[in-house]
Amino acid sequence: MDNQQSSLASNEYQRRSAEPSEDIGGNETSRSEGSDSKPKLHQSEIDMSTSRQDYDDLVESHEATVEENQYLLAWVTQTREELESTQQRNNELEQELQACKDDLFKMQPRARVSDSDIAQAYDNLHEQISNWMEGEIARFEAGFCRKNGHLPNFFHHGDSWVAKEILSAYPTFGGECFIRFVTQYLLQDMVFADDILLLGLDEADTALLRRIERSLDKSKPPRESRQKLFDQVIIPAVNLANTMQTSATKYKFVPTMKEVSPFKTYTLTQEDLLRSKVIDVTTAKTLKVDSPVESNGKGEIGEQILLLAPALYRQDSEYSSLLLVKKVVLVKLDKPLCKRR
């Protein structure tokens, strides 16, 4: 028994004695594996260092990008403000340019019309009024009287002895003169007044015709007569007024129809023949400067009983003017015209 145990122990010892070589080999293997891990660790450190460098580069690049974006944003904001300022300045310059154009346009000399053209047009207007009256008054009177049994309101004299005397003594010529006065009064008030601007002839003519038609509604003249009044009187008057307004020259009427009462008399002297176109109510003749009229010791030859048309002056300055067309007046002479010797 003891021998068997000794033999077993000897065998175990031998077996274990053989194992150290294996342990030594195993230790060598561990040492070999440890030496292999060092390069790996070093490579990891290198990779980590590279990654950190890449990270730092990315951070630096990001910060540079942010800084650049902030710069660009500031530049865009400044550029937008400059653009808005430029646009505002551009609008101001456009307004200034338009103002300069307007000033230049105003400074351009307007169409200059000769004095003779203006005077001729005004004289022609007088003729047009006379021609219209000659062709229409008789028919107008007859038609109105047949319908109403009395003369129209144009011939109403009211309480004026002057009008009553004229219409009683000269029913035909006196009536024509009063209609001529009324026509000129309406033209002065509706066409030649300073506060009337004829910006468009068609519209102004239409409005003017309506106003005059309303003025004539009380007398109810035939439509044909009103059309002739429009064609023969109103159109020439509007054309003349438009020419005067667009001319570089300033004109004025003296006296205006509102300044002279149709129911008052004014003393007429020999000198007035130089400044006026005088029509004798008795003979219906137009007096000339050398007409054989007699005056009293004061140089008076009669009375002005009605202004038929005002004089037309060219206004050169506040204190200087030039007579272009004489005023037309109806007079009653103190003594009849003398015969020429």
Side-chain angles (χ1 to χ4, degrees), residues 190-208:
M190 299 180 182
V191 180
F192 294 108
D194 292 336
D195 58 347
I196 294 180
L197 298 178
L198 303 176
L199 301 180
L201 291 181
D202 294 339
E203 182 179 353
D205 291 347
T206 302
L208 178 61

Side-chain angles (χ1 to χ4, degrees), residues 16 24 39 43 71 84 107 164 205 231 237 244 255 331 339:
R16 290 186 178 180
I24 294 172
Q43 183 64 39
Y71 171 79
E84 293 175 354
M107 294 174 62
K164 182 177 181 179
D205 291 347
D231 294 336
M244 293 169 61
V331 302
K339 294 182 179 181

Side-chain angles (χ1 to χ4, degrees), residues 182-198 204-205 207-216 234 237-238 241 245 258:
V182 171
T183 302
Q184 284 284 356
Y185 186 95
L186 292 175
L187 293 178
Q188 288 287 316
D189 184 53
M190 299 180 182
V191 180
F192 294 108
D194 292 336
D195 58 347
I196 294 180
L197 298 178
L198 303 176
D205 291 347
L208 178 61
L209 178 59
R210 290 173 181 171
R211 292 180 64 184
I212 293 182
E213 283 182 340
R214 287 196 296 268
S215 301
L216 297 175
I234 298 176
V238 170
Q245 288 181 2
K258 292 183 178 181

Side-chain angles (χ1 to χ4, degrees), residues 255-275:
T256 64
M257 300 302 292
K258 292 183 178 181
E259 292 175 345
V260 180
S261 171
F263 303 127
K264 288 180 61 177
T265 60
Y266 302 87
T267 301
L268 189 74
T269 66
Q270 189 79 36
E271 293 182 356
D272 289 330
L273 295 178
L274 300 174
R275 300 186 297 269

Side-chain angles (χ1 to χ4, degrees), residues 3 14 53 61 72-73 129 142 201 215 228 241 262 294 306 317:
N3 291 332
Q14 292 176 357
Q53 182 63 42
S61 176
L72 291 175
L73 180 61
I129 294 174
L201 291 181
S215 301
K228 288 184 177 180
E294 293 186 17
L306 199 62
S317 65

Side-chain angles (χ1 to χ4, degrees), residues 213-226:
E213 283 182 340
R214 287 196 296 268
S215 301
L216 297 175
D217 277 344
K218 294 182 179 180
S219 57
K220 301 297 183 182
R223 176 68 186 182
E224 182 182 355
S225 297
R226 285 184 285 180

